[in-house]
Amino acid sequence: MSTAPTELVANKAPESAEALNRRASVANPVSAFEKTNLLGFSPSGMEQLFAEMGEKPFRARQLLKWIYHRKVTGFADMTDLSKKVRSRLEGEYEIRLPEVVVDKTASDGTRKWVLKMEGGNAIETIAIPDGNRVTLCVSSQVGCVLDCTFCSTATQGFNRNLSMAEIVGQLWVANEMLGPKAKAEGVACSNTPTSVNAITNVVMMGMGEPLANYQQVLPAMQLFTSDFGFGLSRKRVTVSTSGLVPYIDKLGVDCDVALAISLHAPTDELREQIVPINRRYPIAELMAACDRYVDGKSFQMSITYEYVMLDGVNDQPEQARQLVKLLAERPAKLNLIPFNPFPDTQYQRSSDDAIAKFQKILMNAGVVTTVRRTRGDDIDAACGQLVGQVKDRSRRRERWEKLGRIPVRTESADSKPGDSK
Ligand code: SAH
């Protein structure tokens, strides 16, 4: 006999997307530095800043090119800016990068960096080479505001939002670390927008819920996709969300990058247990938002649905057939993700056989279905398994204890996670 932890919290509706953004923004970082970090400016933000200094917009674009195309961080070297502008910048601004405190390479080439952020928090960023692509898995928060039951970040609680500069800093550092070295090793790609940028794809699948930190994530996406920034095509930048419906709509209007949805279950009943935000934004509302997202896009877009394979919980043939009903008529790709276990988890990874059968049912029904290869296993670098050094890792448990809702783990060896009394 076992009880799914989420059952115990089922009576409390999760917060709305707006409330999550409000709560998260209260925990925005407050910089201890005197100078403002220029990595925190989108192209339009930089133009505004230059306008306030009485400078023309093209000067802002010159500065952006120095930072993102030439990787120059000292104003003295930015020779096409006037001395007056340079000394003004010198006095009030700087280009401040996160400090690399750990740098590990896995046997399959996956590279993990632990980056020290402002205020001492550490987060992880992962670069995954695959053929002529190098994908960077970027974090948006320290910890996470959501309580998805299969995710190790959730067990750490929420600490704070990352600032735009800290999100951008992850890509800047990865490009720097991989650029010349990668080229020497033949990993750098011919299709990178500039010779200094080795990262070809970005996925917001690190720690945190990007759409709960919309204010900082949106301008970062704008910089990633701007020709004056990293110049990545919108198809190569993916925001992954558990489904904050109002912000999916906003993103579609503001910056229509590629979208991935953490679906993980075909019915509301099951999804509520695995992804609690489903109680606020049920599957029908989520799918309607996805349909709106792809409607009228300038390029043909299909949405990636992520589905973590949990043994005996969501990996049965019946659930594959339910997924077919949900996805077959939509521009959708399904990505099955073998569950990555972490200490104290109630779940187990589905067997390879169960995953293959599940995939076959979907493929036979015409749903494009891939199985994600687990990468960077030997350095704990799997997406969704980023164990940053969040100071208070027991926050979630504390919250539950305060509310008298202590999570009950599966005790009996023969019961399946997700079983409930
Ligand atoms: N909050 C966002 C982004 C972070 S999680 C979201 O929910 O999409 C990004 C992805 O990591 C999830 O979709 C899930 O596929 C994966 N993930 C999280 N925990 C995992 C685990 N224990 N095993 C395998 N994948 C996991």
Side-chain angles (χ1 to χ4, degrees):
M1 183 183 74
S2 66
T3 310
T6 43
E7 271 211 333
L8 301 173
V9 293
N11 292 335
K12 186 173 174 272
E15 291 162 273
S16 68
E18 289 83 0
L20 283 170
N21 266 274
R22 264 198 308 279
R23 176 154 70 89
S25 70
V26 171
N28 274 345
V30 181
S31 179
F33 293 87
E34 267 172 30
K35 292 184 179 177
T36 304
N37 193 350
L38 286 177
L39 296 187
F41 287 80
S42 67
S44 58
M46 195 71 89
E47 283 181 12
Q48 207 177 320
L49 179 72
F50 270 62
E52 282 159 18
M53 296 194 306
E55 295 291 332
K56 296 250 160 32
F58 80 91
R59 295 283 177 211
R61 297 197 282 268
Q62 280 176 323
L63 175 62
L64 288 165
K65 283 188 193 168
W66 280 111
I67 304 175
Y68 298 108
H69 294 190
R70 299 187 198 124
K71 290 279 177 323
V72 169
T73 54
F75 299 119
D77 297 327
M78 302 182 179
T79 43
D80 56 3
L81 294 177
S82 71
K83 284 215 173 106
K84 191 184 101 206
V85 170
R86 279 190 268 161
S87 82
R88 172 99 191 254
L89 289 172
E90 198 79 61
E92 294 174 42
Y93 300 93
E94 64 185 332
I95 294 147
R96 201 165 52 244
L97 300 163
E99 184 192 336
V100 177
V101 287
V102 177
D103 178 0
K104 281 191 187 173
T105 306
S107 50
D108 64 7
T110 301
R111 186 110 170 242
K112 173 169 99 169
W113 298 285
V114 175
L115 303 177
K116 195 163 145 207
M117 297 287 165
E118 302 198 357
N121 299 112
I123 58 108
E124 295 180 10
T125 302
I126 316 291
I128 308 156
D130 189 8
N132 68 347
R133 284 198 303 190
V134 186
T135 301
L136 191 71
C137 184
V138 170
S139 296
S140 56
Q141 298 181 314
V142 185
C144 189
V145 273
L146 302 173
D147 278 337
C148 300
T149 54
F150 61 89
C151 180
S152 70
T153 306
T155 63
Q156 304 165 24
F158 172 64
N159 190 307
R160 68 170 176 86
N161 274 335
L162 291 181
S163 66
M164 177 193 172
E166 290 171 317
I167 296 168
V168 169
Q170 295 172 61
L171 183 50
W172 203 100
V173 165
N175 275 319
E176 175 77 355
M177 300 292 287
L178 288 176
K181 190 158 180 270
K183 247 183 266 161
E185 290 168 358
V187 184
C189 319
S190 54
N191 53 359
T192 50
T194 70
S195 57
V196 289
N197 288 334
I199 299 295
T200 60
N201 295 63
V202 170
V203 291
M204 297 299 294
M205 290 185 191
M207 291 170 82
E209 166 52 50
L211 295 188
N213 183 13
Y214 192 78
Q215 224 190 332
Q216 305 295 322
V217 167
L218 173 66
M221 299 298 100
Q222 288 166 337
L223 190 75
F224 290 174
T225 55
S226 163
D227 284 344
F228 301 105
F230 293 95
L232 295 169
S233 101
R234 283 172 298 154
K235 294 180 198 171
R236 288 169 175 266
V237 176
T238 301
V239 167
S240 176
T241 177
S242 57
L244 304 196
V245 164
Y247 287 90
I248 292 174
D249 284 329
K250 262 178 181 297
L251 188 70
V253 173
D254 294 338
C255 184
D256 53 355
V257 287
L259 188 64
I261 301 289
S262 284
L263 189 59
H264 309 309
T267 62
D268 282 327
E269 198 190 357
L270 183 59
R271 194 164 189 268
E272 282 176 11
Q273 289 181 37
I274 304 176
V275 185
I277 195 74
N278 192 77
R279 293 204 296 276
R280 191 83 204 197
Y281 302 110
I283 291 175
E285 279 182 38
L286 176 58
M287 300 312 287
C290 291
D291 293 343
R292 289 192 293 276
Y293 198 84
V294 291
D295 264 1
K297 285 284 172 298
S298 51
F299 58 95
Q300 210 193 350
M301 178 189 271
S302 74
I303 289 179
T304 301
Y305 293 87
E306 298 160 88
Y307 197 95
V308 65
M309 296 298 283
L310 306 169
D311 181 34
V313 176
N314 65 353
D315 64 351
Q316 301 300 301
E318 171 58 14
Q319 287 153 335
R321 288 189 283 274
Q322 288 167 332
L323 271 183
V324 167
K325 286 202 189 116
L326 213 51
L327 302 180
E329 301 300 319
R330 296 190 147 90
K333 284 184 211 150
L334 183 65
N335 193 206
L336 304 178
I337 306 164
F339 172 64
N340 259 304
F342 51 88
D344 285 341
T345 179
Q346 57 177 321
Y347 298 116
Q348 281 157 20
R349 179 184 291 189
S350 303
S351 67
D352 290 349
D353 191 43
I355 296 176
K357 281 193 182 127
F358 200 85
Q359 181 185 26
K360 197 164 172 208
I361 294 171
L362 283 140
M363 294 285 275
N364 286 346
V367 178
V368 177
T369 308
T370 51
V371 180
R372 185 182 292 173
R373 269 189 302 145
T374 307
R375 301 290 306 266
D377 255 359
D378 48 336
I379 55 164
D380 291 333
C383 264
Q385 254 228 293
L386 309 184
V387 186
Q389 294 164 10
V390 180
K391 283 200 181 112
D392 182 2
R393 291 186 181 199
S394 60
R395 275 194 183 177
R396 184 185 192 206
R397 172 166 276 267
E398 262 174 30
R399 275 204 318 275
W400 279 355
E401 279 171 354
K402 260 190 217 139
L403 295 164
R405 296 187 301 240
I406 298 170
V408 178
R409 303 282 178 201
T410 305
E411 304 292 356
S412 120
D414 58 358
S415 62
K416 292 260 170 35
D419 284 355
S420 58
K421 201 184 151 210

